[in-house]
Amino acid sequence: SQTIHQWPATLVQPVGSPLSLECTVEGTSNPNLYWYRQAAGRGLQLLFYSVGIGQISSEVPQNLSASRPQDRQFILSSKKLLLSDSGFYLCAWSISHIGETQYFGPGTRLLVL
Amino acid sequence: AQSVSQHNHHVILSEAASLELGCNYSYGGTVNLFWYVQYPGQHLQLLLKYFSGDPLVKGIKGFEAEFIKSKFSFNLRKPSVQWSDTAEYFCAVSFMEYGNKLVFGAGTILRVKS
């Protein structure tokens, strides 16, 4: 069966520091991968999605970037964190076609001080 | 822009009460529809989905949802809630002409009093 992992679970970082959040999927090949930010009372906002290695689409302009160095690995990064980057970040995967059911990881809670 | 609206942000019910959570979306084309649930301390997980066929969809734990195309709605229902249904519920829609990416509603926090 498929599983999705995210780490770290919680992260506290100072403003201006770099960021790297990792997401890996097991038990499937060539998944679509997604990064979302969840804000209280505002649902989930899609940040990035990827349909293959090295293929990244950005949904909103922001201080963050994403990379997919391997088929089942998706990384969310920043060179210099802002206070406004604080939030709950979720990774998800789906099979081939966008629009199929997405399966979510446990999330990373990021607090920027 | 495509959008998904959930009518209530907080709902409080007593056990055995009936539940209906509203979800409306902004677009009249081809859509796939989902309800996700996030129990306290757990992953976001799929409750049910509609792609085509019978517009009344049954999901896990006694939940069901009805797709009414003319009203752009996909309301979630359960005839008798339990304390364990306390969670946050998200409606999500993928719009074919928006690249089939998921758009989420703001979520509804349901608290069931025992």
Side-chain angles (χ1 to χ4, degrees), chain A residues 38 43 49 59 98-99 101-102, chain B residues 32 36 38 49 99-101 105:
Chain A
Q38 183 179 5
Y49 71 94
E59 289 299 295
I98 290 176
T101 303
Q102 295 185 19
Chain B
N32 292 336
Y36 283 86
Q38 190 168 31
K49 64 185 178 184
N100 273 324
K101 289 167 283 187

Side-chain angles (χ1 to χ4, degrees), chain A:
Chain A
S1 65
Q2 301 87 4
T3 55
I4 179 169
H5 304 280
Q6 286 185 246
W7 64 88
T10 306
L11 188 61
V12 181
Q13 291 284 92
V15 169
S17 63
L19 173 73
S20 181
L21 303 182
E22 190 163 341
C23 170
T24 58
V25 181
E26 296 176 357
T28 188
S29 296
N30 195 31
N32 288 342
L33 295 171
Y34 310 84
W35 278 112
Y36 289 87
R37 179 162 49 205
Q38 183 179 5
R42 294 171 61 186
L44 278 71
Q45 180 186 35
L46 180 63
L47 303 176
F48 301 95
Y49 71 94
S50 171
V51 298
I53 295 173
Q55 300 178 63
I56 308 295
S57 295
S58 174
E59 289 299 295
V60 293
Q62 58 200 309
N63 185 42
L64 302 169
S65 62
S67 62
R68 186 170 176 174
Q70 300 180 42
D71 181 45
R72 291 169 288 175
Q73 184 184 31
F74 204 24
I75 296 172
L76 184 68
S77 304
S78 174
K79 292 182 179 177
K80 286 187 178 181
L81 283 168
L82 305 172
L83 286 174
S84 57
D85 292 323
S86 294
F88 190 56
Y89 292 85
L90 286 168
C91 181
W93 73 273
S94 69
I95 61 171
S96 57
H97 304 294
I98 290 176
E100 291 287 340
T101 303
Q102 295 185 19
Y103 301 93
F104 288 81
T108 294
R109 189 162 302 280
L110 171 66
L111 179 60
V112 182
L113 300 174

Side-chain angles (χ1 to χ4, degrees), chain B residues 11-21 62-63 76-82 85 110-112:
Chain B
V11 173
I12 301 174
L13 294 173
S14 298
E15 276 193 307
S18 64
L19 170 71
E20 182 160 3
L21 301 182
F63 285 90
L76 180 71
R77 300 194 293 247
K78 186 170 182 178
S80 176
V81 294
Q82 301 172 312
D85 293 323
L110 171 66
R111 187 165 80 87
V112 180

Side-chain angles (χ1 to χ4, degrees), chain B residues 1 10-11 26-27 29-30 47 55 57-58 65 72-73 95 99 101 104:
Chain B
H10 282 94
V11 173
S26 64
Y27 169 70
T30 302
L47 199 55
V57 179
K58 295 196 183 296
F72 305 141
S73 71
F95 302 88
K101 289 167 283 187
F104 280 81

